[in-house]
Amino acid sequence: MKKSIFILGIVAALFSSCNDFIEEDSLSFVTAEETYTTASGFQLLVNSNYAWLKGIYGGDPWLFVSGTDMYAEGRTPEPAGLSQYKQLIPSAEGVDQLYTSCYQLIQSVNKTVYYSTITQQNSNVPVLVGEAKYLRANAYFLLVQTYGGVPIVTENFTSPVPLQFDRNTAEQVYDFIIQDLTASLASVGTSSYSTAGRVNKRAVNDLLAKVYLTRGYETFGKPTDFATAASYADAAIAGQSLTLAFAQLFTPGNDLNAETIFSVQYDFNSTSSSPTTLGNKQFYFFSSYLGGSETGAPLRSYNLCPTDYALGLFEKNDSRWNATFMTEILELKESATKTVLYYPFYRNAGDPNVKVRHFYAPKWFTPTDKTTWMTANASRLSTAFVYHDWGTYSAAYTLIKNIDAQTIPVRKFDDPSLTTPSSTGPVSTRDIITARLGETYLVAAEAYLKAGNAGTGLQRLNAVRTRAGVTAATAAEFNIDYILDERGREMLGEYTRWFDLKRTGKLVQRAVLYNYKITNASNFAGNNGQQKILRPIPQTVIDLNQNKNFPQNPAY
C-alpha cells in the first residue's frame, strides 16, 4: 500500500504515538514490545483506537454540517471558506482538522494490526482487530468523501520517515474500506451495543451499507452497489422496529439505547480533570446565545443555526419537532437576584414557580392557535415573556434582530448534568451518536430507490414517518429530494448533512436555495472550471510533501 501524507503535526503525533501511549498506560516506562505483547497491553492499545474518535467528532463540526441547506451562521461568524465556499482555499480555517484527526486514528489502528501478530494470542485478538479495522475504515470513509482520493497507509511507523508520499485514487480508497469492513464483519462480536459499547456486526453492516450507497453515486461505482447497500442496511436493521419514542433516543443519560448502533462515548470521570478541553462540542452549536453565566443557561455559540428551510420541514403532529427543539425556554427565580434559564426544563419539572420566558410558534400555528396558546398558558408566562412568531427565529432572521435567544435552540444534545458549567464552553460528556437505527432505515430507503425497488424503499422510509406520528409518504412523493427532507427532519444537528448533499449531488442546488449566506452557484466556482465540491487537501500537506507530483484537488 502507498504511504500516507502527513502534515508536520500529524507526523509528530503519529511517530511519537508509541511513546505517548506507553506513558499514559504504563507508569514503569516499559517498551512498546513489553506492553503490547501482553493481553492487557493489547487491550489498552485497542481502547486507544476508540479514544481517537474524540479528536474526529468532538471538536468544531464545520466539515460535517456547515455550508449546507440546514444550518447557517447567526451572530457568531463561521469559517467563511467552509460555510460559504467562495473563500475556500487549501489554507482555509478548519480544512485540515479532519485530515489530521483521521490519520491519527489510522496510525493507531496500524499499530494495533502490527502488534496483533506478536501479542499474546487468545480468541479475543481477532475480535479486537476486527473492531480496529472498522474504526480505520470509518476514518478513510470520512476522508474519501471529504477530500477525494487520499493516501492509503497500513505501516506501523516507529521512527520518522522521509516526507515523500503518494496519493491513492478514490476508487482505491473505497476498495480498501470495503476490504477492511469485510474482514471486520467476519471477526467482530454480536453483543448488543447498548451493553458492550463496542463495534459489533450490526455496526459493520451499517457502515458497509453507507459505503456501498455512497460509492454507487461515483463514476467508478459498481452497477450492484445500491442493491448491495440495501442488503447490508437490512442486515443492520435485522428486523428491529422503531419502537422507541423519538424523544427517548436523545434523553440525557439514554445515549446507549436499543437503537444506538455506534457512538463516540464520553463520561464525566474521563473529562473532569479538564472539562473545557476534554468534553465535546455537539451541544454547543445549533442555537442562539442564551445569556451569560449569571442565568445558568448553557453556553451556546450562535452559529450553525437552523435555516428557514430546516425549521419548515416539520408538520403538525410530528413528534420530532418538540423532541428536536426547545420550543419553550423556561425560567426559575431562585432568589431575588438570580433567575435561572433553560435548565429548569430538566431540573425543576413540576415546580409551579417555573415560568415560560420564550415560546417559538411552529409553522402550522394560525392566529387562532396563537390566541388559544396564550390563553391556555397565561398563568405560566414570565413577566419578561417573548412570543416568537413563525418566521422570526431562523439563522437568517439574525440579520433583522440580533439578540439573545432569538434563534430557537436545538435541545437533542443538551447536557443538563449539574456538573456541566454554563459558561466555559465545550464541556458536554454526553455521547455523540454516529449511527442509529432510524438513519439505517433511511439509508435502506435511499438504496432501494436507487436500486430500482422504490416500493420497498418507501416502506423503509414510512417506518420512520410512522414512528414520528405523521402521514405516510406516497409513491408519487418518493424521490431523492423527499429522502433528503426526511433525513433533515429525522437527523437535524447530527453530523451527516454535508455528506448527504455531496453524495446525492444536491450540495450546490440546495445550499443556494436555502442558505442565506450562499446566494449564487458562483460561490462554488473554482479553478480549471471545477466546482468546490471536494474540500482541498490542506496546504501544509502539499508544502511539506517532498513528492512534488502529488496533485491538489482540481478546483484549487
Side-chain angles (χ1 to χ4, degrees), residues 177-439:
I177 292 168
I178 291 170
Q179 173 186 312
D180 255 2
L181 290 176
T182 302
S184 177
L185 186 62
S187 60
V188 297
T190 58
S191 297
S192 167
Y193 188 75
S194 61
T195 56
R198 306 190 73 87
V199 175
N200 58 18
K201 290 188 186 301
R202 166 174 273 188
V204 181
N205 280 319
D206 177 82
L207 186 52
L208 275 164
K210 294 170 182 174
V211 170
Y212 275 104
L213 175 66
T214 306
R215 190 177 75 169
Y217 285 93
E218 298 285 354
T219 56
F220 52 80
K222 306 296 190 290
T224 57
D225 278 349
F226 293 124
T228 303
S231 177
Y232 278 118
D234 279 349
I237 291 169
Q240 183 178 347
S241 300
L242 300 173
T243 55
L244 290 178
F246 186 81
Q248 292 180 20
L249 302 177
F250 298 96
T251 300
N254 195 37
D255 296 331
L256 284 176
N257 60 68
E259 293 188 17
T260 302
I261 294 175
F262 193 72
S263 60
V264 185
Q265 297 176 48
Y266 292 80
D267 69 276
F268 174 72
N269 289 333
S270 69
T271 62
S272 58
S273 61
S274 182
T276 58
T277 59
L278 297 178
N280 74 71
K281 291 188 176 183
Q282 189 170 34
F283 86 114
Y284 178 66
F285 297 96
F286 312 111
S287 179
S288 56
Y289 184 71
L290 301 174
S293 58
E294 69 278 1
T295 71
L299 181 66
R300 294 290 170 84
S301 66
Y302 219 150
N303 52 24
L304 290 175
C305 297
T307 61
D308 285 296
Y309 159 74
L311 296 168
L313 286 171
F314 298 85
E315 58 191 287
K316 189 175 183 178
N317 299 320
D318 192 331
S319 64
R320 294 171 296 192
W321 173 257
N322 283 313
T324 299
F325 299 103
M326 187 67 79
T327 58
E328 294 180 356
I329 295 182
L330 304 183
E331 70 169 27
L332 177 64
K333 290 185 180 297
E334 290 190 341
S335 67
T337 58
K338 184 176 183 180
T339 299
V340 178
L341 293 178
Y342 199 91
Y343 280 140
F345 175 86
Y346 299 102
R347 299 172 181 171
N348 306 94
D351 189 328
N353 296 312
V354 170
K355 301 296 182 182
V356 181
R357 173 72 73 90
H358 296 270
F359 175 72
Y360 303 88
K363 181 180 181 179
W364 55 86
F365 255 39
T366 65
T368 300
D369 290 324
K370 178 176 181 178
T371 300
T372 300
W373 190 92
M374 291 292 291
T375 301
N377 292 279
S379 64
R380 301 177 60 227
L381 304 184
S382 162
T383 55
F385 172 73
V386 179
Y387 186 100
H388 298 267
D389 288 299
W390 170 253
T392 67
Y393 53 82
S394 69
Y397 196 75
T398 59
L399 295 176
I400 300 170
K401 197 169 187 178
N402 191 2
I403 59 176
D404 296 354
Q406 186 59 48
T407 304
I408 188 172
V410 172
R411 75 175 182 92
K412 288 167 71 173
F413 317 114
D414 283 347
D415 189 351
S417 168
L418 292 173
T419 58
T420 302
S422 60
S423 61
T424 51
V427 297
S428 176
T429 55
R430 289 194 61 182
D431 297 346
I432 298 175
I433 298 172
T434 60
R436 61 179 179 84
L437 190 61
E439 183 194 10

